[in-house]
């Protein structure tokens, strides 16, 4: 479920970026305002959704190698899927919906990039948008670190450890899923930190939140 969620968000991000790049290649004219209204919300969603999905993958792998792991039943799979989809889609959807709280105008348009969300730096911006990608990235790194520790410690019995959970994963599938998770974290975490710092710097000075001031335009 975590891998499926990640695939969905990556697809949405690629389609969204491709349409924006093609539509606003070489200019920044407001030629598709309705699309921009949708595009900025999707961008807020996949900023959080991709890392939330990777966190779910990392959590699943950590559970597999945990010494407390038991045989995974149908009920366990259903509960895990509910949790993964709630985190991977529920939190991003909430982030998209809450954008209206700190959104000073509908969108901005950047040449060769397209539609971009706008915000003023205040406590709702930090709590409802900025904080979530780093939080999911840190949690995913902690789960992944634990997984690596367990694999190094039990490298000789690695196949038996994976098989002991009675999941659908074979040793090969586990390695592939772990490689996907670790590779994305190796790239995604530095980019997330860089993007978060960039968003804070580009938002100018911190302002005390005022609904009337934010929505005055």
């Amino acid at each position: 479920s975590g891998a499926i969620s990640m695939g969905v968000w990556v697809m949405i991000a690629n389609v969204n970026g491709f349409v924006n790049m093609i539509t606003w290649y070489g200019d920044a004219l407001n030629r598709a305002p309705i699309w921009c209204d949708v595009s900025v919300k999707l961008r807020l969603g996949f900023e959080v959704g991709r890392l939330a999905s990777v966190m779910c993958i990392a959590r699943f792998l950590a559970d597999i190698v945990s010494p407390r792991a038991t045989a995974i039943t149908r009920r366990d799979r259903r509960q895990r899927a509910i949790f993964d989809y709630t985190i991977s889609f529920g939190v991003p959807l909430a982030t998209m919906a809450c954008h209206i709280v700190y959104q000073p105008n509908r969108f901005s348009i950047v040449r060769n990039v397209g539609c971009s969300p706008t915000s003023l730096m205040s406590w709702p911006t930090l709590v409802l948008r900025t904080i979530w990608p780093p939080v999911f990235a840190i949690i995913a790194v902690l789960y992944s670190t634990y997984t690596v520790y367990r694999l190094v410690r039990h490298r000789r019995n690695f196949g038996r450890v994976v098989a002991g959970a009675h999941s659908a994963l074979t040793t090969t599938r586990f390695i592939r899923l772990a490689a996907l998770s670790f590779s994305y974290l190796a790239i995604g975490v530095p980019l997330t930190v860089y993007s978060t710092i960039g968003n804070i710097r580009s938002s100018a000075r911190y302002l005390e939140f005022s609904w009337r001031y934010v929505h005055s335009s």
Side-chain angles (χ1 to χ4, degrees):
S1 49
I4 292 173
S5 302
M6 181 182 176
V8 171
W9 283 120
V10 169
M11 180 184 67
I12 291 174
N14 287 337
V15 172
N16 186 69
F18 178 77
V19 172
N20 278 311
M21 183 186 66
I22 294 298
T23 306
W24 282 278
Y25 181 77
D27 62 49
L29 301 177
N30 187 13
R31 59 169 57 89
I34 301 301
W35 163 254
C36 278
D37 287 332
V38 176
S39 178
V40 295
K41 296 298 187 290
L42 291 177
R43 179 170 173 176
L44 292 172
F46 64 68
E47 284 178 356
V48 179
R50 289 181 294 186
L51 284 167
S53 300
V54 174
M55 187 275 289
C56 291
I57 296 174
R59 176 176 175 267
F60 172 68
L61 297 177
D63 286 346
I64 293 295
V65 299
S66 171
R68 298 185 299 273
T70 58
I72 298 177
T73 64
R74 184 184 299 271
R75 180 182 178 183
D76 294 331
R77 291 191 182 95
R78 183 172 63 252
Q79 290 178 342
R80 182 181 298 279
I82 292 173
F83 175 86
D84 288 351
Y85 289 134
T86 299
I87 296 297
S88 298
F89 293 110
V91 175
L93 289 175
T95 302
M96 294 160 64
C98 291
H99 183 217
I100 191 174
V101 175
Y102 55 89
Q103 179 182 15
N105 41 56
R106 290 170 64 183
F107 52 82
S108 64
I109 300 177
V110 181
R111 182 178 179 180
N112 297 330
V113 174
C115 312
S116 299
T118 59
S119 62
L120 294 177
M121 183 52 62
S122 58
W123 70 261
T125 309
L126 293 172
V127 173
L128 300 176
R129 179 191 178 185
T130 307
I131 194 174
W132 291 107
V135 165
F136 284 124
I138 292 172
I139 296 174
V141 167
L142 292 177
Y143 276 126
S144 299
T145 302
Y146 175 77
T147 300
V148 171
Y149 165 76
R150 292 290 301 175
L151 293 181
V152 170
R153 184 175 180 181
H154 298 279
R155 56 188 179 277
R156 295 182 179 179
N157 301 320
F158 172 59
R160 188 171 61 184
V161 170
V162 174
H166 298 285
S167 68
L169 290 181
T170 62
T171 301
T172 303
R173 290 176 180 174
F174 184 97
I175 293 175
R176 289 176 180 175
L177 196 59
L180 171 65
S181 177
F182 298 160
S183 299
Y184 194 89
L185 287 174
I187 300 173
V189 172
L191 288 178
T192 298
V193 174
Y194 176 81
S195 177
T196 301
I197 295 174
N199 287 335
I200 294 175
R201 287 180 174 177
S202 64
S203 298
R205 64 186 181 89
Y206 179 86
L207 300 172
E208 291 297 328
F209 178 72
S210 168
W211 180 276
R212 179 177 297 181
Y213 177 76
V214 170
H215 298 277
S216 60
S217 59

